[in-house]
Amino acid sequence: MNGIKSAKSALISVFSKDGLEPIVKKLNALGVTIYSTGGTEKFIKDLGIGVVPVEDVTSYPSILGGRVKTLHPKVFGGILNRQDNEGDIAEIEKFEIPQIDIVIVDLYPFEKTVAGGASEQDIIEKIDIGGISLIRAAAKNFKDVTCVASVDDYVEFLEVITKGNGNTSLEQRKRFATKAFNVSSHYDSAIFNYFNQDQDIPALKVSENNAQALRYGENPHQKGYFYGDLEAIFDKLHGKELSYNNLLDVDAAVNLMGEFKNDAPTFAILKHNNACGVATRNTIKEAYIDALAGDPVSAFGGILIANKEIDKETAEEVHKLFCEVVIAPSYSGEALEILKGKKNRIILVQKDIELPKSNIRTCLNGVLVQDKDLKTDKKEDLTQVTNNKPSENELEDLLFASKICKHTKSNTIVLAKNKQLCASGTGQTSRVDALRQAIEKANSFEFDLNGAAMASDAFFPFPDCVEIADKAGITTVIQPGGSIKDQLSIDYCNENNLAMVFTGTRHFKH
């Protein structure tokens, strides 16, 4: 009535034997009959513990090179029978099916095999059939059976059977069943996603088992979690734990700096997912100083990222600023000691790994999925639409501004000069407002906009933006083009000696 079950038998068939020995010894000490197969059977025998081969139960050998071992009614009947069902009891007695109370199984390492670049044949052979079937059967029948489907659960299971002297509660078995279905669903998702690389079947399968509870979400009254493997992309050298907002800003910083990965020393400072300072210079120290000059007010509490090693001289400058996170591909020993001077400052080493190529976000009662904007505007993409042509230096500034613009919230305008972000207008409801915000901000930090470049994430529906830019001293413009009134903007530029190029690519970022 209370759901307590005493285990008399266990089926153990695992790929990895790590951590299995203490469980086998405990089950043996409890008088539990152990059934097993292949390598696991040998492992148990080598411990000097008695084990019944599954072949003795099924009267059938392992066949097809081990592809079929446990797929037999005497195995699955022993797992799936309902111990409170008279019909089931009669049938297992009639067919001499042994009762199985515990199933300990893991799965072939499919994801690891794929990640290791194995051949398709090797990958296919790592699609588990018997194991996944045993897991599903045992988890389904949790009222009577305990299912342990991962080495990660060995410690908990050992504690349960030790404290319970071989007994388990219904609540405990249901918990293990829940974990087992998490294992099976994740495994099937990984297999589907591998096959669907070439098929493009419109189905979304997202499964992440690495969960990190955050202090809170965007605000203290919201719960927050990160699902993923941060250690795959960063080595965390110092500081407090990353928060929900930190992670959003770090993501924005990494994606922005990806545009400058192979460029000369470049430093960026971000706040609320937008760049407030970016500069490319001959040294990383110069890049930092000029990035900070872009908006020293917003830089307070910001996220800093560099595309080159941070040296002692740069660290000394950075240390003067209160900042949440510093990211770089490496640090000199002296720089690291300086930056560690602030206890809570998070210091990350970014590893060179490939990032996902799609974006996923919740929307209404579903999700939106899209390809990432992986298009970076290059010189060969540009169409000269005005009589006045930009110089080589001006072209460099236009492309520099375009890279930043692509990673700034729409509607946006970015102003740059000499490979330095002068200001940007971010997240405005009109492009004119974005431009006015950018000009006002640049002026407030005493930037000389004469000869500056302007980038827009989308086309100008009217010539008002180029006119406002012209009056502020801006002389070159980069934009996608595509408005039915493009000619009006082109005409204004021609009449006032501005140079404008079209990219043909819009870079909205909502």
Side-chain angles (χ1 to χ4, degrees):
M1 294 294 291
N2 58 10
I4 297 295
K5 292 286 182 180
S6 177
K8 301 287 194 302
S9 62
L11 171 62
I12 307 177
S13 181
V14 297
F15 181 84
S16 171
K17 315 303 183 292
D18 293 343
L20 186 62
E21 181 176 342
I23 291 176
V24 172
K25 288 181 175 179
K26 173 56 69 173
L27 291 175
N28 182 60
L30 291 168
V32 174
T33 300
I34 299 175
Y35 301 94
S36 192
T37 64
T40 309
E41 178 190 338
K42 181 179 183 303
F43 174 83
I44 296 170
K45 283 181 177 177
D46 289 346
L47 294 174
I49 293 172
V51 58
V52 179
V54 166
E55 289 92 334
D56 289 359
V57 176
T58 63
S59 299
Y60 222 97
S62 172
I63 62 172
L64 307 182
R67 280 189 165 198
V68 180
K69 291 179 287 192
T70 56
L71 295 168
H72 193 280
K74 282 200 171 183
V75 174
F76 282 86
I79 296 170
L80 284 165
N81 74 88
R82 294 157 291 188
Q83 295 178 21
D84 59 356
N85 184 291
E86 291 183 5
D88 286 7
I89 293 170
E91 283 193 278
I92 67 167
E93 288 178 354
K94 177 182 177 181
F95 296 109
E96 299 181 342
I97 297 173
Q99 178 68 49
I100 297 175
D101 304 308
I102 297 170
V103 173
I104 302 175
V105 181
D106 67 0
L107 299 171
Y108 294 153
F110 179 83
E111 288 181 283
K112 185 177 180 180
T113 304
V114 172
S119 67
E120 182 175 78
Q121 185 55 43
D122 287 341
I123 290 169
I124 297 304
E125 288 305 315
K126 289 301 184 289
I127 297 176
D128 207 308
I129 304 301
I132 200 80
S133 301
L134 291 168
I135 287 171
R136 291 178 64 83
K140 174 179 179 176
N141 203 27
F142 68 89
K143 283 189 176 182
D144 296 315
V145 180
T146 304
C147 180
V148 183
S150 170
V151 66
D152 295 335
D153 298 325
Y154 284 3
V155 171
E156 182 179 346
F157 174 70
L158 185 58
E159 289 176 355
V160 166
I161 60 173
T162 300
K163 290 180 180 178
N165 200 32
N167 295 328
T168 58
S169 68
L170 179 62
E171 181 181 351
Q172 288 168 337
R173 293 192 300 276
K174 191 170 185 179
R175 173 173 169 80
F176 280 114
T178 304
K179 290 187 168 195
F181 283 123
N182 178 45
V183 169
S184 65
S185 64
H186 179 82
Y187 196 74
D188 284 340
S189 293
I191 294 170
F192 169 78
N193 287 331
Y194 169 76
F195 276 88
N196 202 37
Q197 293 177 104
D198 303 322
Q199 303 303 319
D200 199 26
I201 293 171
L204 176 64
K205 308 290 183 187
V206 180
S207 180
E208 285 289 351
N209 284 328
N210 294 319
Q212 179 180 336
L214 305 173
R215 295 195 299 275
Y216 49 79
E218 281 188 281
N219 301 291
H221 62 279
Q222 296 169 266
K223 288 183 179 179
Y225 300 88
F226 174 78
Y227 292 90
D229 186 4
L230 285 176
E231 292 182 1
I233 185 171
F234 297 119
D235 284 328
K236 182 169 175 284
L237 304 182
H238 182 74
K240 61 184 180 180
E241 293 303 311
L242 286 157
S243 70
Y244 185 98
N245 291 332
N246 287 157
L247 287 166
L248 288 175
D249 285 333
V250 167
D251 176 71
V254 166
N255 282 291
L256 171 61
M257 193 52 70
E259 303 285 347
F260 299 93
K261 179 179 178 181
N262 299 314
D263 290 7
T266 301
F267 217 108
I269 305 171
L270 289 89
K271 197 73 172 287
H272 300 301
N273 304 311
N274 293 309
C276 58
V278 185
T280 297
R281 292 293 181 262
N282 292 323
T283 69
I284 204 69
K285 176 185 176 181
E286 292 171 326
Y288 168 72
I289 290 172
D290 285 349
L292 179 64
D295 187 344
V297 176
S298 296
F300 182 86
I303 306 294
L304 279 58
I305 187 166
N307 70 342
K308 307 292 182 187
E309 179 174 282
I310 292 181
D311 54 24
K312 175 188 175 185
E313 292 73 23
T314 309
E316 288 172 339
E317 293 297 325
V318 169
H319 193 57
K320 299 173 186 177
L321 175 73
F322 168 72
C323 57
E324 290 276 346
V325 184
V326 182
I327 309 166
S330 60
Y331 304 81
S332 72
E334 293 173 309
L336 194 55
E337 288 308 306
I338 293 168
L339 294 174
K340 284 182 176 179
K342 297 284 178 70
K343 183 177 77 171
N344 289 328
R345 179 184 286 148
I346 300 165
I347 303 174
L348 302 175
V349 173
Q350 184 181 345
K351 300 176 184 178
D352 188 13
I353 70 166
E354 187 174 343
L355 295 173
K357 289 184 169 55
S358 60
N359 290 321
I360 302 173
R361 65 194 297 183
T362 59
C363 181
L364 301 175
N365 62 342
V367 295
L368 289 169
V369 181
Q370 68 167 350
D371 295 337
K372 269 190 176 179
D373 183 357
L374 300 176
K375 173 68 174 177
T376 298
D377 297 325
K378 296 181 171 59
K379 190 181 296 186
E380 54 267 27
D381 300 321
L382 306 181
T383 300
Q384 176 68 43
V385 295
T386 56
N387 297 333
N388 206 22
K389 294 184 178 180
S391 66
E392 283 300 310
N393 287 340
E394 288 173 330
L395 273 175
E396 289 183 358
D397 275 347
L398 288 172
L399 294 172
F400 175 88
S402 174
K403 289 178 179 181
I404 301 169
C405 191
K406 171 184 165 183
H407 293 274
T408 308
K409 295 287 186 180
S410 301
N411 284 326
T412 185
I413 293 289
V414 167
L415 306 180
K417 185 178 179 180
N418 299 325
K419 292 186 179 178
Q420 179 183 23
L421 174 62
C422 300
S424 58
T426 64
Q428 297 302 305
T429 51
S430 85
R431 204 154 301 281
V432 171
D433 286 344
L435 175 55
R436 285 175 173 154
Q437 180 191 57
I439 292 171
E440 182 180 349
K441 196 169 186 180
N443 288 336
S444 72
F445 292 113
E446 299 182 350
F447 278 100
D448 179 9
L449 291 179
N450 287 299
M454 174 175 75
S456 173
D457 61 339
F459 63 62
F460 299 126
F462 304 102
D464 45 7
C465 280
V466 289
E467 181 178 354
I468 294 168
D470 174 39
K471 291 178 179 176
I474 293 161
T475 55
T476 56
V477 179
I478 185 170
Q479 59 132 321
S483 169
I484 59 173
K485 297 185 178 180
D486 275 344
Q487 195 58 47
L488 295 177
S489 295
I490 293 170
D491 289 343
Y492 182 90
C493 289
N494 284 334
E495 291 165 5
N496 294 276
N497 297 317
L498 273 71
M500 183 163 65
V501 295
F502 286 179
T503 65
T505 304
R506 189 181 73 184
H507 292 294
F508 270 160
K509 185 172 185 281
H510 290 103

